[in-house]
């Protein structure tokens, strides 16, 4: 909301400490129609043939009438104080003639008390200010307003806000790049011209820019009608800004220096021991929270002023992430970094770079306002004593429009443009949505597959976590930061006895095979070996399987979750956990072989061979793998789709079994009554095929968790969908039914993704509910950073890029039409930045940079030296390999 005569900001932030009378008085001077169906006392004449109040707008429909108008409720306006009319509107009627009328007590409306207004009818949102000060009839106390939005035309006239501004203390400052203005210690207008020529944009401030803080449990804003201000050149000084009755006083210095706006706000305490939290600048911007679109044609018809935000730490959010969200949804989705880029959109043809000294930006949406909090909630307490001061700063740098996606982000190029763009959008929007290093070891196989080959800030944070992760003396890798077990439940044993230690090994393997960093391997090898030694204590030679033998994880209905799937009681003989243990055995054997420990490598491969045979003997049932055999020897199976797909991907299923699994998933009816395990959701397979009823009805959920037991509707672990599993579905299709089938499924995903990028508040485009803070039938964004794995299928599957002790391999598997080739720019490999282009007939590998410490690289036998560029023709199914002449290393040789 704009700063109005009644201090709208005070109403919004300090309502708990204002009297009811103050709030009532405020309503008479601004209207923003936040409540559906509530006209806030306005009335219409008969020439407005239809109306609606929804999504923060008062929409009036006019059909070729000459005198449509709306009349305000009774008000009391001192015209010597309130002299500016401001409206935010969108006009599609074709008529641009509007008029404001007013009357005093005992008078009617007349042309003697009226002001003609020229609007724009271009289906775009505009904010218009009308100066009433020069009207001699704008005098005394006005008791009612009448607004005529048009004098003809046919269409809608939408009002977003209708306000009267206080001009008694108004100040302005401009320099060609910026035009700012405000009143009472607030800035309520910022307009921009990135060319510096004074051709300013629409106002980006949909309310105010101010400083906010929490003190003694209440929120305060920097506003006061006692502010003293002065302008000297391009510097505006605001002094004596009070924070209501808190005993805090602020001074705000705003300097315009070319395309940079520097804000320095100093708070001085008038008492001792004042503990302040959440101290930071706040900026209100336009927003449209309804619907799914973030782009409009023509630009300006949608109040979504940015397309993406990216921080110096590589945090990336598109506008889709904030659509339809509430403060509960998006307060957690801030952006941390020294700076945050804002890419303008929908008529805001400029970019901004914010430099908050808090190094954080947290956007929070309401119906038609996005409030930018330049602080991270509840992370800092500032204590001030009498006369002590504290300073907050915020610099804003303006630039011309352009893509703010970091240049070091890898990207797919070529192929079908629609599919390729979607792959990149998924990679960024899901892969960089949560803060770096936000996952724990259960996730690390998926995260490392996503990150190991990318040179970005996130990878380094995740790599560092593999060095510092907590580990028990027996080698068990802790599950959740400083917790040995999962934080759910809290009254039972919640250790993840197999998956964390297995995925620790799997992740380090992936990071090392792409980095070739022997120092990193040296810093982790002891933990890897301890993890493997611990895992082998869980290997049962009689069954040839890894077993979880704790009584709280016995595989029965009383079990506690044993892995990432935390409300399904995997335990005892768990088919899921054994997949990742098998993977860890193979990978650890490969690492030991690289280090020259051939005997240990052979031993571990022997365990893996035994496990593969035992896995198929124990868990294979007709045409798929069941999920658990409990401590009593009973088998349990809810048709776990992800388990079977991951078993195919990691090589536990031979060719015949893989084909049988895919046929089972495609043709067997689920609890929905349809054969829809792979089609119910366009973006991912179902998680399970059989309904899991309420625990009291014999359901097999973790005993302390009782779902409603309605299949596919409310809980993603009961017939819903988890996006990361789409990677495994596509990889399995490539291995079984081929590239054409996999590509058809990928295009289905892309078409669904393009609806709303599968982000934002609930419901999603086709009614799906994303699990975020509460139950949902799908897992996509928010607390699902593993979703970033899905677009990696283009690299691992269609391009066939992989890394192991034998080098970097490219084994293309493209469809006959559509995406018949693809370029990946770039892959970070052993000190080289590689640009790889692949098709079914050739592979081109270019070294954009080559800082490898080794010089004996060859590509299918040809020397690869310096910034090489080599193309190798191949037959269908062929492989191109970039490798060194040696594959054995000694950690004793590193410094």
């Amino acid at each position: 909301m704009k700063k109005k005569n009644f201090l709208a900001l005070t109403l919004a932030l300090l309502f708990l400490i204002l009297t009811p009378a103050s709030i009532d008085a405020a309503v008479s001077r601004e209207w923003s129609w936040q409540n559906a169906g509530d006209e806030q006392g306005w009335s219409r004449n008969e020439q407005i043939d239809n109306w609606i109040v929804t999504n923060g707008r008062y929409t009036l429909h006019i059909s070729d009438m000459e005198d449509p108008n709306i009349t305000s409720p009774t008000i009391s306006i001192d015209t010597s104080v309130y002299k500016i009319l401001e409206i935010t509107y969108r006009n599609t009627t074709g008529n641009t003639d509007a008029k404001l009328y007013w009357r005093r007590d005992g008078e009617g409306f007349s042309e003697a008390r009226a002001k003609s207004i020229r609007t724009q009818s271009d289906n775009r949102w505009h904010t218009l200010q009308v100066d009433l000060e020069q009207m001699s009839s704008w005098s005394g106390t006005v008791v009612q307003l009448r607004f005529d939005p048009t004098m003809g035309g046919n269409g809608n006239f939408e009002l977003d806000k209708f306000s009267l501004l206080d001009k008694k203390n108004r100040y302005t400052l401009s320099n060609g790049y910026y035009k700012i203005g405000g009143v009472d210690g607030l800035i309520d207008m910022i307009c921009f011209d990135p060319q510096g020529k004074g051709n300013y944009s629409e106002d980006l401030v949909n309310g105010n820019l101010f400083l906010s803080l929490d003190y003694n449990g209440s929120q305060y804003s920097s506003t006061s009608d006692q502010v003293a201000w002065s302008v000297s050149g391009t510097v505006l000084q605001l002094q004596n800004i009070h924070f209501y009755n808190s005993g805090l006083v602020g001074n705000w210095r705003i300097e315009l220096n070319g395309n940079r706006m520097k804000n320095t706000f100093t708070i001085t305490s008038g008492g001792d021991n004042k503990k302040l939290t959440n101290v930071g600048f706040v900026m209100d911007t336009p927003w449209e929270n309804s619907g799914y679109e973030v782009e409009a044609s023509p630009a300006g018809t949608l109040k979504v002023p940015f397309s993406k935000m990216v921080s110096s730490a590589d945090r990336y959010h598109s506008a889709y992430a904030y659509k339809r969200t509430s403060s509960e949804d998006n307060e957690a989705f801030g952006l941390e970094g020294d700076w945050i880029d804002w890419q303008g959109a929908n008529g805001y043809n400029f970019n901004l770079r914010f430099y908050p000294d808090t190094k954080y930006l947290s956007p929070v949406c309401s119906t038609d306002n996005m409030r930018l909090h330049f602080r991270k909630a509840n992370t800092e307490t500032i204590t001030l004593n009498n006369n002590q001061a504290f300073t907050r700063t915020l610099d804003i740098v303006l630039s011309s429009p352009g893509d703010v996606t970091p240049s070091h982000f890898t990207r797919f190029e070529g192929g079908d443009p629609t599919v390729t763009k979607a792959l990149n959008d998924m990679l960024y929007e899901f892969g960089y949505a949560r803060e770096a290093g936000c996952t724990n070891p259960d996730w690390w196989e998926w995260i490392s597959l996503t990150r190991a080959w990318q040179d970005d800030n996130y990878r380094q944070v995740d790599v560092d976590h593999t060095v510092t992760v907590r580990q028990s003396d027996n080698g068990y890798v802790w599950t959740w930061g400083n917790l040995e077990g999962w934080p759910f439940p809290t009254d039972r044993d919640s250790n993840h006895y197999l998956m964390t230690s297995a995925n620790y090994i799997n992740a380090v393997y992936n990071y090392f095979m792409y980095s070739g960093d022997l120092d990193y391997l040296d810093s982790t090898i002891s933990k890897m070996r301890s993890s493997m030694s611990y895992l082998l204590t869980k290997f049962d030679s009689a069954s040839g399987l890894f077993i979880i033998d704790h009584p709280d994880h016995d595989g029965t209905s009383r079990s506690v979750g044993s892995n990432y799937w935390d409300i399904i009681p995997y335990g005892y003989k768990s088919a899921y956990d054994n997949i990742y243990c098998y993977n860890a055995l193979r990978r650890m054997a490969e690492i030991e072989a690289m280090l020259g420990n051939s005997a240990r490598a052979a031993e571990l491969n022997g365990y893996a061979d035994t496990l593969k045979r035992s896995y198929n003997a124990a868990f294979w049932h007709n045409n798929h793998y069941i999920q658990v055999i409990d401590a009593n020897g009973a088998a349990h199976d809810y048709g776990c789709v992800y388990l079977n797909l991951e078993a195919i991907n990691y090589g536990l299923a031979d060719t015949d079994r893989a084909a049988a699994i895919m046929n089972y998933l495609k043709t067997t009816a689920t609890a929905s009554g349809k054969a829809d395990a792979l089609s119910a959701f366009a973006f991912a397979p179902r998680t399970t095929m059989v309904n899991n009823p309420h625990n009291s009805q014999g359901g097999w959920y973790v005993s302390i968790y009782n779902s409603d037991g309605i299949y596919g509707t409310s809980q993603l672990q009961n017939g819903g969908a988890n996006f990361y599993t789409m990677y495994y579905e596509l990889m399995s299709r490539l291995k079984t039914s081929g590239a054409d089938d996999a590509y058809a499924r990928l295009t289905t995903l892309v078409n669904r993704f393009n609806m709303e990028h599968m982000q934002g508040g609930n419901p999603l485009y086709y009614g799906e509910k994303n699990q975020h803070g509460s139950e949902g039938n799908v897992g996509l964004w928010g607390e699902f950073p593993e979703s970033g794995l899905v677009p990696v299928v283009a690299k691992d599957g269609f391009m066939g890029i992989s890394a192991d002790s034998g080098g970097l391999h490219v084994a293309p598997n493209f469809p006959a039409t559509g995406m018949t080739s693809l370029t990946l720019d770039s892959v970070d490999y052993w000190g080289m930045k590689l640009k790889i282009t692949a098709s079914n007939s050739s592979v081109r590998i270019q070294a954009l940079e080559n800082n490898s410490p080794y010089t004996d690289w060859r590509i299918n036998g040809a020397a690869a030296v310096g910034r090489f560029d080599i193309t190798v023709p191949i037959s269908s199914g062929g492989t191109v390999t970039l490798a060194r002449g040696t594959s054995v290393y000694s950690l004793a040789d590193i410094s």
Side-chain angles (χ1 to χ4, degrees):
M1 248 180 255
K2 287 280 186 187
K3 161 63 178 73
K4 309 303 181 198
N5 54 298
F6 60 92
L7 302 179
L9 180 64
T10 304
L11 174 63
L13 298 181
L14 302 180
F15 65 93
L16 292 176
I17 56 177
L18 290 175
T19 65
S22 299
I23 295 174
D24 291 342
V27 172
S28 69
R29 296 169 177 86
E30 181 194 63
W31 296 268
S32 58
W33 296 285
Q34 294 298 306
N35 299 319
D38 183 4
E39 293 182 88
Q40 294 193 339
W42 287 76
S43 58
R44 296 150 278 103
N45 73 347
E46 69 281 355
Q47 295 199 22
I48 294 175
D49 59 7
N50 207 346
W51 67 277
I52 188 172
V53 174
T54 185
N55 296 321
R57 300 172 194 158
Y58 189 18
T59 301
L60 312 169
H61 187 266
I62 299 157
S63 298
D64 296 320
M65 295 294 180
E66 295 183 358
D67 193 29
N69 63 73
I70 56 175
T71 305
S72 77
T74 302
I75 53 180
S76 179
I77 298 173
D78 183 348
T79 58
S80 67
V81 174
Y82 309 118
K83 301 179 180 181
I84 294 179
L85 168 71
E86 181 179 271
I87 62 172
T88 298
Y89 71 94
R90 177 163 66 177
N91 182 3
T92 64
T93 67
N95 186 286
T96 60
D97 298 315
K99 187 172 283 190
L100 178 73
Y101 293 86
W102 57 89
R103 70 176 185 86
R104 295 174 291 242
D105 196 28
E107 298 175 335
F109 293 116
S110 75
E111 295 298 325
R113 291 177 296 279
K115 171 72 173 177
S116 294
I117 301 168
R118 178 59 58 91
T119 65
Q120 297 184 60
S121 182
D122 57 4
N123 195 30
R124 303 184 184 191
W125 285 102
H126 298 280
T127 297
L128 173 70
Q129 289 191 354
V130 179
D131 191 347
L132 301 173
E133 188 172 13
Q134 305 306 316
M135 302 290 295
S136 60
S137 58
W138 183 258
S139 60
T141 300
V142 168
V143 297
Q144 197 168 34
L145 304 172
R146 182 184 121 182
F147 179 64
D148 295 18
T150 71
M151 296 180 183
N154 194 325
N156 289 332
F157 195 99
E158 299 173 74
L159 283 167
D160 181 73
K161 290 185 178 65
F162 191 101
S163 313
L164 288 166
L165 304 185
D166 176 350
K167 198 179 179 181
K168 65 176 181 179
N169 267 330
R170 193 154 187 84
Y171 34 77
T172 60
L173 186 69
S174 63
N175 72 341
Y177 293 95
Y178 293 85
K179 180 182 178 182
I180 70 173
V183 63
D184 293 342
L186 304 166
I187 296 298
D188 63 22
M189 176 186 69
I190 308 181
C191 302
F192 304 89
D193 176 9
Q195 304 304 315
K197 298 180 180 179
N199 298 316
Y200 298 114
S201 68
E202 293 287 334
D203 186 2
L204 185 62
V205 179
N206 188 44
N208 303 281
L209 172 65
F210 58 98
L211 195 83
S212 176
L213 56 85
D214 292 350
Y215 170 59
N216 280 351
S218 297
Q219 193 174 54
Y220 292 80
S221 61
S222 56
T223 180
S224 169
D225 60 5
Q226 303 172 27
V227 171
W229 59 270
S230 63
V231 173
S232 177
T234 56
V235 176
L236 170 64
Q237 294 273 10
L238 305 177
Q239 298 177 314
N240 199 36
I241 306 172
H242 287 264
F243 291 81
Y244 196 62
N245 61 355
S246 65
L248 302 167
V249 177
N251 295 321
W252 188 353
R253 185 180 191 273
I254 303 173
E255 178 183 359
L256 303 181
N257 184 2
N259 66 337
R260 181 181 290 263
M261 175 183 177
K262 298 175 65 67
N263 295 277
T264 305
F265 199 110
T266 301
I267 305 167
T268 303
S269 175
D272 290 333
N273 199 34
K274 293 186 180 293
K275 290 183 170 58
L276 315 180
T277 59
N278 294 325
V279 181
F281 284 94
V282 175
M283 181 176 176
D284 293 317
T285 69
W287 185 248
E288 185 161 319
N289 214 37
S290 61
Y292 299 93
E293 294 296 324
V294 301
E295 298 178 357
S297 181
T301 61
L302 191 67
K303 292 196 304 173
V304 177
F306 76 98
S307 61
K308 65 186 73 167
M309 288 187 278
V310 190
S311 79
S312 61
D314 288 345
R315 193 81 174 271
Y316 184 108
H317 289 163
S318 77
Y320 286 103
Y322 299 104
K323 289 293 283 184
R324 310 175 316 286
T325 60
S326 66
S327 61
E328 290 78 13
D329 285 319
N330 58 32
E331 174 71 10
F333 299 119
L335 300 97
E336 70 281 351
D338 293 330
W339 47 259
I340 299 99
D341 279 340
W342 161 295
Q343 183 172 317
N346 293 308
Y348 291 90
N349 298 319
F350 52 81
N351 291 346
L352 300 175
R353 175 168 285 186
F354 299 104
Y355 290 88
D357 62 347
T358 57
K359 301 184 185 300
Y360 204 84
L361 169 57
S362 177
V364 177
C365 300
S366 60
T367 300
D368 63 348
N369 186 76
M370 173 174 275
R371 174 157 285 182
L372 307 178
H373 293 271
F374 291 94
R375 54 97 180 110
K376 188 173 185 179
N378 304 316
T379 58
E380 178 186 43
T381 299
I382 300 151
T383 302
L384 296 179
N385 291 318
N386 193 38
N387 291 323
Q388 286 186 330
F390 176 77
T391 299
R392 273 271 101 99
T393 63
L394 170 66
D395 284 11
I396 304 174
V397 175
L398 170 68
S399 62
S400 297
D403 189 1
V404 299
T405 303
S407 59
H408 63 269
F409 275 18
T410 191
R411 65 202 73 222
F412 295 103
E413 299 170 353
D416 180 333
T418 300
V419 174
T420 304
K421 180 181 185 303
L423 288 169
N424 288 325
D425 287 346
M426 283 185 234
L427 193 64
Y428 308 149
E429 293 174 19
F430 292 119
Y432 298 92
R434 290 297 297 265
E435 64 274 16
C438 66
T439 60
N440 291 295
D442 273 311
W443 280 264
W444 284 359
E445 160 72 353
W446 311 321
I447 299 302
S448 62
L449 288 174
T450 306
R451 297 254 168 255
W453 49 280
Q454 299 191 65
D455 183 17
D456 56 38
N457 293 305
Y458 274 53
R459 180 182 64 177
Q460 190 57 53
V461 173
D462 288 319
V463 166
D464 290 345
H465 282 190
T466 65
V467 177
T468 60
V469 68
R470 298 287 296 272
Q471 188 175 33
S472 300
D473 291 341
N474 65 358
Y476 167 72
V477 173
W478 288 21
T479 302
W480 199 280
N482 290 323
L483 298 175
E484 288 187 66
W486 204 253
F488 166 80
T490 57
D491 61 337
R492 307 271 297 281
D493 178 275
S494 59
N495 282 9
H496 287 186
Y497 285 93
L498 300 178
M499 193 167 180
T500 54
S501 297
N503 274 345
Y504 177 77
I505 294 169
N506 292 329
V508 173
Y509 171 93
N510 289 330
Y511 289 125
F512 172 70
M513 287 302 174
Y514 276 98
S515 71
D517 187 344
L518 291 173
D519 288 299
Y520 169 63
L521 184 59
D522 185 54
S523 68
T524 54
I525 191 63
S526 292
K527 284 186 174 179
M528 292 179 78
R529 286 170 171 161
S530 293
S531 297
M532 180 52 68
S533 294
Y534 161 77
L535 285 174
L536 290 175
T537 67
K538 303 297 180 183
F539 188 81
D540 175 56
S541 58
S543 65
L545 297 170
F546 288 89
I547 290 180
I548 306 172
D549 56 6
H550 193 282
D552 283 337
H553 302 274
D554 63 4
T556 68
S557 62
R558 66 174 299 279
S559 284
V560 174
S562 303
N563 55 52
Y564 166 89
W565 296 90
D566 56 0
I567 64 170
I568 296 177
Y570 282 104
Y572 203 64
K573 295 179 182 178
S574 163
Y576 191 71
D577 292 85
N578 271 272
I579 292 173
Y580 288 93
C581 289
Y582 173 77
N583 204 26
L585 284 169
R586 293 293 191 203
R587 289 175 171 177
M588 194 69 209
E590 196 173 340
I591 292 287
E592 294 291 10
M594 289 185 74
L595 297 177
N597 302 317
S598 56
R600 180 59 167 169
E603 180 187 9
L604 295 175
N605 275 322
Y607 279 114
D609 291 340
T610 298
L611 175 57
K612 184 173 182 177
R613 290 191 298 269
S614 300
Y615 190 93
N616 283 284
F619 299 119
W620 184 254
H621 180 71
N622 294 330
N623 50 14
H624 70 287
Y625 294 113
I626 62 172
Q627 60 197 88
V628 161
I629 299 172
D630 70 25
N632 301 317
H636 301 272
D637 183 36
Y638 279 83
C640 285
V641 179
Y642 57 88
L643 182 156
N644 282 271
L645 296 172
E646 290 170 51
I648 292 174
N649 181 77
Y650 290 115
L652 283 160
D654 59 23
T655 301
D656 290 341
R657 286 191 174 96
I661 289 170
M662 296 306 293
N663 184 64
Y664 162 74
L665 297 177
K666 290 177 180 179
T667 62
T668 304
T670 70
S672 71
K674 303 175 183 178
D676 61 1
L678 302 182
S679 60
F681 298 93
F683 48 76
R686 287 192 186 273
T687 56
T688 57
M689 300 178 69
V690 178
N691 186 39
N692 197 347
H694 193 283
N695 188 260
S696 65
Q697 299 172 341
W700 197 54
Y701 278 93
V702 175
S703 58
I704 66 166
Y705 183 89
N706 288 319
S707 168
D708 61 14
I710 302 175
Y711 182 75
T713 62
S714 63
Q715 172 49 244
L716 70 89
Q717 296 186 56
N718 184 24
N722 194 339
F723 188 39
Y724 95 83
T725 67
M726 186 59 163
Y727 170 88
Y728 292 101
E729 180 186 331
L730 290 168
M731 292 293 286
S732 296
R733 285 177 181 267
L734 282 162
K735 290 175 186 239
T736 56
S737 49
D740 290 336
D741 177 66
Y743 187 66
R745 183 70 168 111
L746 176 61
T747 56
T748 298
L749 160 62
V750 166
N751 291 336
R752 174 62 185 83
F753 174 78
N754 287 338
M755 296 296 98
E756 86 293 53
H757 287 215
M758 290 142 39
Q759 295 178 57
N762 289 315
L764 298 176
Y765 195 87
Y766 287 118
E768 310 96 336
K769 182 182 178 183
N770 183 64
Q771 179 179 301
H772 178 57
S774 60
E775 280 191 277
N777 65 338
V778 298
L780 294 165
W781 62 288
E783 58 264 47
F784 293 89
E786 65 272 25
S787 291
L789 176 62
V790 175
V792 180
V793 75
K795 165 192 166 286
D796 294 353
F798 292 99
M799 297 185 76
I801 299 174
S802 62
D804 59 22
S805 59
L808 182 77
H809 311 288
V810 186
N813 189 7
F814 286 102
T817 59
M819 189 172 67
T820 58
S821 66
L822 203 59
T823 296
L824 183 53
D825 182 9
S826 60
V827 175
D828 202 54
Y829 181 71
W830 285 57
M832 296 175 279
K833 288 205 180 345
L834 305 176
K835 183 175 184 178
I836 302 174
T837 301
S839 70
N840 286 336
S841 59
S842 68
V843 171
R844 180 184 181 187
I845 304 179
Q846 301 167 260
L848 305 177
E849 298 178 19
N850 191 346
N851 299 308
S852 174
Y854 310 108
T855 58
D856 59 340
W857 294 101
R858 303 184 75 81
I859 296 179
N860 281 25
V865 180
R867 293 180 62 181
F868 56 83
D869 184 348
I870 298 174
T871 299
V872 180
I874 58 172
S875 300
S876 179
T879 299
V880 174
T881 297
L882 169 66
R884 288 194 63 208
T886 181
S887 59
V888 179
Y889 300 86
S890 173
L891 295 181
D893 294 339
I894 69 172
S895 58

